[in-house]
Amino acid sequence: MAEITAALVKELRERTGQGMMDCKKALTAAGGDIEKAIDDMRAAGAIKAAKKAGNIAAEGSIAVKVADDNKAAVILEVNSQTDFLALQDDFKGFVADSLEQAFAEQLTDVAPLIAARESAREALVAKCGENVNIRRLTRVEGDVVGSYLHGHRIGVLVVLKGGNAELAREIAMHVAASNPQFLSSAEVSEEAVAKEKEIFLALNADKIAGKPENIVENMVKGRISKFLAEASLVEQPFVKNPDVKVGELAKQAGAEIVSFVRYEVGEGIEKAEVDFAAEVAAQVAATQQ
């Protein structure tokens, strides 16, 4: 068996990012063969990754890439368990490589990307000790595509017919800030309108009690009109100039908004409620046993 030197441990640590003691144990088990130690650690990493898979990953990063000709773009969400990891270089590198692959292969579905990046994901999980997941991606194409990234937590793509990339970026910035639910009122489903009506009636039960039916109907119509304006991108006042609506802004520039995509880290993921006081108490109790 080859001697397990400090230099050998150091090399394995640099190549795998694992702790010193873990590297020494792996080298000992592999008889000093560093390549076998790496293979063994990778296999163990897959096991660790499987164990971590049950941990909720609701933090992470949004990344976007737009083609040089501004006619195509990809937006990607990769989740981690903590925002701290999302700011680390290893995680950023994984996100960047995943985004480049998705863009280069013109992927429109996240499943092939998840499969292709599984080994890299497992290695990252083994190194960082957190669950990491590629969650979703969207690819858009059009006459003009623009994007806006607000830090690493919100990303937007906007597709225009006419106009230019700067206008698309301005509108994307507005979408990031205002979070419209629909492009226009024509896209709002009957179900969404019915739900809004139900919410309004429930919240204003005291105000409408005893009022004539026609008065209540007008109140509901007023609320629905307001809802459609607030939820529709083209009807919203532009954040940089509230005197003009977003749809009018595009029209003035000879453009039409075709579509938009807005991602926000962790939206729709149910996060676990953590009772930190109970957690600390449990840890203290464990040390006293």
Side-chain angles (χ1 to χ4, degrees):
M1 184 178 78
E3 181 184 0
I4 311 301
T5 64
L8 197 61
V9 173
K10 181 174 182 291
E11 181 183 350
L12 182 58
R13 186 169 184 241
E14 290 175 347
R15 290 177 64 179
T16 64
Q18 300 300 300
M20 189 177 297
M21 292 306 297
D22 288 338
C23 290
K24 188 173 182 179
K25 288 178 182 177
L27 283 166
T28 301
D33 184 337
I34 192 169
E35 298 302 329
K36 184 176 186 308
I38 290 173
D39 288 340
D40 291 345
M41 291 176 84
R42 281 178 176 166
I47 296 172
K48 289 180 182 178
K51 290 180 178 178
K52 294 290 181 182
N55 296 341
I56 297 174
E59 298 295 335
S61 291
I62 306 298
V64 299
K65 182 177 177 63
V66 181
D68 292 338
D69 62 1
N70 297 111
K71 293 189 179 298
V74 168
I75 184 168
L76 174 73
E77 178 180 4
V78 181
N79 296 125
S80 59
Q81 286 178 240
T82 66
D83 190 53
F84 174 80
L85 179 61
L87 299 174
Q88 304 309 304
D89 288 341
D90 288 332
F91 184 84
K92 289 180 179 179
F94 176 78
V95 173
D97 291 344
S98 301
L99 179 66
E100 287 294 334
Q101 183 168 348
F103 187 86
E105 296 180 8
Q106 299 185 18
L107 298 180
T108 57
D109 180 18
V110 74
L113 182 65
I114 291 174
R117 299 289 295 159
E118 182 59 15
S119 294
R121 187 194 72 84
E122 289 178 349
L124 178 60
V125 170
K127 184 174 183 179
C128 71
E130 285 191 24
N131 191 18
V132 173
N133 290 313
I134 297 174
R135 184 186 182 198
R136 54 180 173 166
L137 71 80
T138 300
R139 179 183 176 86
V140 300
E141 297 179 357
D143 191 15
V144 177
V145 177
S147 69
Y148 176 72
L149 196 59
H150 187 73
H152 65 284
R153 300 192 63 85
I154 298 176
V156 179
L157 300 178
V158 169
V159 180
L160 300 180
K161 181 178 180 181
N164 54 48
E166 182 57 31
L167 174 64
R169 184 180 184 280
E170 291 281 299
I171 295 174
M173 188 183 301
H174 170 94
V175 171
S178 299
N179 192 16
Q181 298 178 46
F182 310 96
L183 175 59
S184 68
S185 58
E187 291 188 354
V188 182
S189 66
E190 292 182 4
E191 290 79 6
V193 172
K195 183 178 180 180
E196 187 64 23
K197 178 180 178 179
E198 181 181 342
I199 293 171
F200 175 79
L201 292 174
L203 292 177
N204 295 274
D206 293 340
K207 293 181 181 179
I208 63 179
K211 284 187 169 56
E213 186 177 337
N214 65 316
I215 298 297
V216 175
E217 185 178 339
N218 287 334
M219 290 174 66
V220 170
K221 285 182 178 179
R223 175 54 209 163
I224 295 303
S225 295
K226 185 178 181 183
F227 164 70
L228 293 175
E230 291 174 345
S232 305
L233 173 58
V234 296
E235 295 296 325
Q236 290 182 337
F238 182 47
V239 290
K240 286 189 174 182
N241 180 10
D243 292 333
V244 61
K245 293 181 180 180
V246 176
E248 185 62 27
L249 175 75
K251 187 176 180 180
Q252 290 174 359
E256 176 187 348
I257 305 171
V258 176
S259 64
F260 70 90
V261 179
R262 184 185 188 275
Y263 277 8
E264 184 167 350
V265 167
E267 59 188 349
I269 298 177
E270 185 175 348
K271 300 181 182 181
E273 294 295 331
V274 179
D275 186 338
F276 290 106
E279 185 176 300
V280 171
Q283 290 175 354
V284 171
T287 62
Q288 294 175 345
Q289 291 178 352

